[in-house]
């Protein structure tokens, strides 16, 4: 087979396999959680067919590893369909592991595949074993099909069947690697029903094309917007020339009498120079009349062609945009399984409810929103929902609920709400963390309103989690969430009620292509402001702006709205603006909070295409990018979210800009490492010393306690499984001693079970890092956050 053709075939298979895996995973989670028997049967049939299709696709591209495990997945579903397999949680877990394993294989590089293949083969064997360990004959166990045998006969038959199964199992143990799909001789599992060719949809009218190519096409079509605007400007300039010619002709007609008299006098004059002058004027007048006529035709043609171009450009963009518009289900289908896996790992019972997954937005919005949404749901699972014991003690249902609600408040905006019924956000703890991290001062913390305090959760490095784990606690996630949402020109609002839960309300544009903006002047500078969060624009005398608590304000809808000048926010020269008696005010409404931004002049409103900055100018406060006007000028685009924050900070005097703590250099920091393995100990020592820390090592907990009594340390990194005193007991001993009670402790261990993690938290560890997910940069980041 041609190599290039085979590569294309594999690429097509990966796309198809992704869809099948997503359907199998989502269907299995739905099957597990559903209490409706009809729904369960329908889901089982659906995932059975998906597994069968995936197996066939894998066979077509000779991926035997995937075909083999799909066969066993299909066998499990076939047995469940006929009620011939006990429904065990362990079987479900293995099915989910298998799905994850196939996904990992498809995403892996060539050098990673052998290890994943071995893991898939092991999973295939485990599934095959589970078929025999959990297999049951419903006819014998339930007495169906009118069986008339006596109880004794039934017992003998059951024992015989069991002996045959065990014998078959012994034979299969030796043949697993050669024939993993073999079946027992007795009580054979049902063969999957053959899928008829007629049930497959015809693909004669379908063409598979990568979203990347469509994205490129969309990008080029957006560039046509600038061309459309330039053509419109050309038409306007032609119209302006015609207007000036018309004005000239009107002015000429006012003096027609004088012109006629002079012409008559020149005609009777014997001076040839005078006659030549008037002949030249007549000739010019004739040429200008022809030029006017020609310009009028060109202007009319240009206007017609510009309208035609506008219709075609808008139609092309709308068509391509329609292709790239996808339902939220493409994104949220992965959430049920993720919720199930994390909840099981944390020992919690959680129900995820998804509403409005059919709402459609542009693919680029989904791509950019994926990470924020995953983090918000993980955050709700880990931080929001309490443990079962705490929920029961508080009189709540054992099973927590996370609701993902998607709606469309207007044609251009989608609203996503992530709501949990957990414990809510501890505002006082959040303030203490902010003051401790030197984000705000204690005096500023006392002045904060509830909504301003809740905004602190979006500051980098702030967290109320008692311990840092591989899942959460670093204080970075929500900061990244807000950054990515605002990059999409969206907004996020958080609400929390102690003991009842928290909610995050995100507003996103349906498309991130072009948008409407107003062109404004502040001082001597011109800017463009997207109208996304602009409620209205008003013009009024400066003298009409009132003063409330010594600060400029206006009354809108019977409520005071702060007034801040754009020249002050951007620190521009405002000499000219001070002389102007009138001002424009742009009322920005962000998450139901309003602020008025003053500027000098409103110039225009039109559609713009945002040109983002390159990496060297990745982030400029209050500026999100630039746009190219029809006449070739580059105008900065104001960042509405940044502008709102800057205005609020300027008005209140409370700065939410992150500050750098006055901490000691890392070279002066002393770290104690406790590990009984000399290899692990030396590796950790090398990592920390390379980062600039001074490191002392200990061989176990007892040795480390002795070191703590003789020297002062800034942080402890400890293994858990050590002789004489393990890491848990060592941490408890540190917390009991008043001299070391506040000393940060990081446990780095191979113990990944939920019970071990909870034991580490109960012991008083500040961070719990599992070696299987160990990453050097993450460890150093955790240490830096704990030590500063």
């Amino acid at each position: 087979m041609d190599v290039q053709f085979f590569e294309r075939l594999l690429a097509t298979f990966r796309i198809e396999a992704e869809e099948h895996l997503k359907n199998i995973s989502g269907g299995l989670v739905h099957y597990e959680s559903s209490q409706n028997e009809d729904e369960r049967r329908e889901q089982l049939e659906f995932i059975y067919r998906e597994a069968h299709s995936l197996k066939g696709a894998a066979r077509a591209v000779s991926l035997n590893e995937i075909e083999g495990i799909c066969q066993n997945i299909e066998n499990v579903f076939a047995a469940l369909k006929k009620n011939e397999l006990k429904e065990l949680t362990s079987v479900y877990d293995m099915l989910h592991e298998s799905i994850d394993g196939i996904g990992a294989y498809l995403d892996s590089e060539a050098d990673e595949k052998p290890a994943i293949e071995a893991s898939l083969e092991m999973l295939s064997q485990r599934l095959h074993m589970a078929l025999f360990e959990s297999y049951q004959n419903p006819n014998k166990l339930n007495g169906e099909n009118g069986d008339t045998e006596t109880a004794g006969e039934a017992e003998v038959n059951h024992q015989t069947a069991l002996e045959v199964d065990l014998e078959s199992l012994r034979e299969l143990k030796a043949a697993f690697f050669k024939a993993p799909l073999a079946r027992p001789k007795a009580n054979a599992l049902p063969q999957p029903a053959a899928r008829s060719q007629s049930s497959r949809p015809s693909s004669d009218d379908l063409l598979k094309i990568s979203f990347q190519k469509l994205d490129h096409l969309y990008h080029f079509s957006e560039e046509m917007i600038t061309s459309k605007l330039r053509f419109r400007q050309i038409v306007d300039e032609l119209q302006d020339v015609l207007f000036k010619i018309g004005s000239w002709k009107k002015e000429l007609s006012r003096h027609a009498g004088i012109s006629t008299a002079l012409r008559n006098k020149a005609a009777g004059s014997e001076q040839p120079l005078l006659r030549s002058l008037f002949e030249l004027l007549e000739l010019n007048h004739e040429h200008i009349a022809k030029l006017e006529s020609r310009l009028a035709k060109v202007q009319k043609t240009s206007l017609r062609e510009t309208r035609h171009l506008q219709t075609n450009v808008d139609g092309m963009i709308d068509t391509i945009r329609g292709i790239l518009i996808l339902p939220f289900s493409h994104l949220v289908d992965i959430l049920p399984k993720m919720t199930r896996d994390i909840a099981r790992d944390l020992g919690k019972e959680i129900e995820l409810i998804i509403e409005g997954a059919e709402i459609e937005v542009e693919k680029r919005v989904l791509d950019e929103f994926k990470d924020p949404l995953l983090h918000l749901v993980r955050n709700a699972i880990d931080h929001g929902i309490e443990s079962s014991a705490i929920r029961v003690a508080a009189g709540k249902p054992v099973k927590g609920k996370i609701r993902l609600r998607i709606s469309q408040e207007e044609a251009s905006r989608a609203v996503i709400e992530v709501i949990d019924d957990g414990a809510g956000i501890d505002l006082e703890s959040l303030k203490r963390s902010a003051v401790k991290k030197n984000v705000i001062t204690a005096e500023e913390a006392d002045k904060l309103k509830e909504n301003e305090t809740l905004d602190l959760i979006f500051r980098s490095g702030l967290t109320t989690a008692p311990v840092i784990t591989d899942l959460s606690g670093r204080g970075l996630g929500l900061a990244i969430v807000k950054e990515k949402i605002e990059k999409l020109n969206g907004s996020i609002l958080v609400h929390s009620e102690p003991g009842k839960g928290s909610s995050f309300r995100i507003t996103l544009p349906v498309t991130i292509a072009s948008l409407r903006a107003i062109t404004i002047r502040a001082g001597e500078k011109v800017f463009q402001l997207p109208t996304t969060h602009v409620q209205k624009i008003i013009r009024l005398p400066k003298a009409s702006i009132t003063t409330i608590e010594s600060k400029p304000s206006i009354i809108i809808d019977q409520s005071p709205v702060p007034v801040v000048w754009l020249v002050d926010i951007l620190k521009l020269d405002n000499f000219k603006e001070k002389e102007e008696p009138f001002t424009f005010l742009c009322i920005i409404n962000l998450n139901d909070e309003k602020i008025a931004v003053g500027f000098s002049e409103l110039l225009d409103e039109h559609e713009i295409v945002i040109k983002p900055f390159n990496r060297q100018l990745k982030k400029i406060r209050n500026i999100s990018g630039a746009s190219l006007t029809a006449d070739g000028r580059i105008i900065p685009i104001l960042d509405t979210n940044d502008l709102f924050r800057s205005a609020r900070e300027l008005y209140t005097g409370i700065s939410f800009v992150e500050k750098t703590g006055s901490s000691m250099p890392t070279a002066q920091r002393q770290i104690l490492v406790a590990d009984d393995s000399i290899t692990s100990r030396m590796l950790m020592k090398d990592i920390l010393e390379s980062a600039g820390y001074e490191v002392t090592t200990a061989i176990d907990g007892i040795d480390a306690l002795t070191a703590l009594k003789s020297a002062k340390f800034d942080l402890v990194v400890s293994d858990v499984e050590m002789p004489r005193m393990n890491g848990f007991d060592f941490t408890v001993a540190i917390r009991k001693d008043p001299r070391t009670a506040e000393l940060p402790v990081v446990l780095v261990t191979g113990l990944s079970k939920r019970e071990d993690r909870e034991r580490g938290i109960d012991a008083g560890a500040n961070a719990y890092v599992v070696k299987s997910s160990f990453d050097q940069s993450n460890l150093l980041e955790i240490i830096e956050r704990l030590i500063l």
Side-chain angles (χ1 to χ4, degrees), residues 45-329:
E45 178 66 25
F46 172 70
I47 54 183
Y48 169 75
R49 288 182 176 275
E50 289 292 320
H52 182 75
S53 298
L54 180 58
K55 181 189 72 174
R59 183 189 296 121
V61 291
S62 303
L63 290 178
N64 299 327
E65 299 80 6
I66 296 180
E67 181 188 355
I69 197 166
C70 283
Q71 177 66 69
N72 282 327
I73 292 173
E74 187 181 346
N75 289 344
V76 172
F77 291 148
L80 286 171
K81 278 180 62 179
K82 291 182 176 281
N83 196 27
E84 293 176 347
L85 189 68
K86 296 177 185 176
E87 295 191 10
L88 301 175
T89 303
S90 59
V91 175
Y92 295 145
D93 289 342
M94 278 187 280
L95 288 170
H96 282 293
E97 285 181 48
S98 302
I99 295 163
D100 292 341
I102 295 172
Y105 180 85
L106 294 174
D107 294 336
S108 64
E109 300 295 335
D111 58 338
E112 300 171 328
K113 289 193 184 297
I116 300 176
E117 286 175 7
S119 176
L120 283 175
E121 191 167 16
M122 183 64 69
L123 277 169
S124 185
Q125 294 174 28
R126 287 171 57 198
L127 274 174
H128 205 47
M129 292 280 286
L131 284 171
F132 299 109
E133 292 172 356
S134 307
Y135 185 70
Q136 64 184 11
N137 188 329
N139 295 341
K140 302 298 181 185
L141 295 179
N142 301 330
E144 295 176 359
N145 295 335
D147 286 341
T148 57
E149 61 186 357
T150 64
E153 289 173 336
E155 184 178 353
V156 170
N157 289 340
H158 180 67
Q159 289 175 350
T160 304
L162 180 60
E163 288 171 3
V164 173
D165 278 347
L166 291 174
E167 182 60 31
S168 300
L169 188 57
R170 292 189 192 98
E171 293 175 3
L172 284 167
K173 283 181 180 179
F176 264 133
F177 289 95
K178 293 182 180 178
L181 305 181
R183 297 173 179 269
K185 297 174 183 177
N187 287 343
L189 292 172
Q191 294 285 346
R195 192 176 184 186
S196 65
Q197 293 293 330
S198 60
S199 65
R200 296 179 181 176
S202 172
S203 59
D204 291 343
D205 56 344
L206 298 178
L207 173 66
K208 288 188 177 180
I209 183 170
S210 69
F211 275 116
Q212 186 179 16
K213 290 181 179 179
L214 285 173
D215 281 339
H216 283 310
L217 184 60
Y218 197 10
H219 170 74
F220 289 130
S221 68
E222 284 175 347
E223 293 297 321
M224 295 293 291
I225 293 176
T226 305
S227 299
K228 179 181 73 173
L229 295 174
R230 285 176 180 166
F231 272 96
R232 183 71 211 187
Q233 186 183 31
I234 291 171
V235 172
D236 291 341
E237 288 176 355
L238 286 171
Q239 183 66 43
D240 185 56
V241 172
L242 284 169
F243 176 77
K244 288 178 179 178
I245 293 176
S247 299
W248 175 78
K249 287 176 66 178
K250 285 182 181 179
E251 187 67 23
L252 191 64
S253 65
R254 287 175 56 196
H255 305 284
I258 298 174
S259 178
T260 301
L262 288 172
R263 185 182 297 107
N264 293 335
K265 186 176 181 181
S269 173
E270 295 182 358
Q271 298 182 10
L273 184 62
L274 187 59
R275 287 199 304 271
S276 297
L277 176 62
F278 273 90
E279 287 174 2
L280 179 62
L281 289 175
E282 288 290 339
L283 183 63
N284 285 344
H285 188 275
E286 184 180 341
H287 277 301
I288 288 175
K290 290 179 180 179
L291 180 62
E292 180 189 23
S293 175
R294 190 167 182 181
L295 276 174
K297 290 180 180 179
V298 171
Q299 192 269 344
K300 186 176 181 180
T301 303
S302 298
L303 180 60
R304 183 177 65 250
E305 292 302 317
T306 299
R307 287 173 177 169
H308 183 63
L309 174 66
Q310 180 173 340
T311 302
N312 287 341
V313 169
D314 292 345
M316 178 174 62
I317 291 175
D318 288 342
T319 301
I320 300 174
R321 185 181 295 164
I323 297 172
L324 290 172
I325 292 290
L326 300 172
F328 262 96
S329 58

Side-chain angles (χ1 to χ4, degrees), residues 326-436:
L326 300 172
F328 262 96
S329 58
H330 278 257
L331 175 57
V332 303
D333 282 352
I334 63 175
L335 294 179
K337 183 178 184 304
M338 184 192 82
T339 303
R340 173 195 181 276
D341 292 345
I342 297 176
R344 284 178 63 80
D345 187 47
L346 297 175
K348 298 179 180 180
E349 294 184 41
I350 297 176
E351 179 184 3
L352 177 66
I353 303 168
I354 300 175
E355 302 172 2
E358 71 281 358
I359 300 295
E360 295 183 330
V361 297
E362 187 186 322
K363 178 184 177 291
R364 288 184 292 184
V365 175
L366 289 182
D367 290 343
E368 291 293 327
F369 186 55
K370 179 179 179 180
D371 288 342
L373 180 61
L374 292 180
H375 182 84
L376 288 173
V377 174
R378 280 198 303 264
N379 197 67
I381 299 168
D382 192 22
H383 294 317
I385 304 296
E386 317 94 322
S387 66
S388 299
I390 294 176
R391 291 182 66 85
V392 171
K396 290 183 174 182
V398 175
K399 181 177 284 189
K401 285 188 178 180
I402 299 174
R403 187 180 299 274
L404 175 61
R405 184 184 297 145
I406 304 163
S407 59
Q408 201 162 354
E409 61 177 13
E410 55 185 79
S412 61
R413 311 291 291 178
V415 177
I416 303 95
E417 295 173 281
V418 180
I419 308 165
D420 67 70
D421 65 348
I425 299 171
D426 188 339
L427 299 184
E428 293 305 316
S429 175
L430 195 57
K431 286 183 182 179
R432 287 194 298 271
S433 179
V435 173
K436 184 178 178 181

Side-chain angles (χ1 to χ4, degrees), residues 453-474:
T453 303
L454 284 170
D455 276 350
L456 290 173
I457 66 173
F458 299 113
R459 306 313 302 168
S460 180
L462 288 188
T463 179
T464 58
V467 65
I468 299 174
T469 67
D470 53 334
L471 185 63
S472 62
R474 293 177 176 82

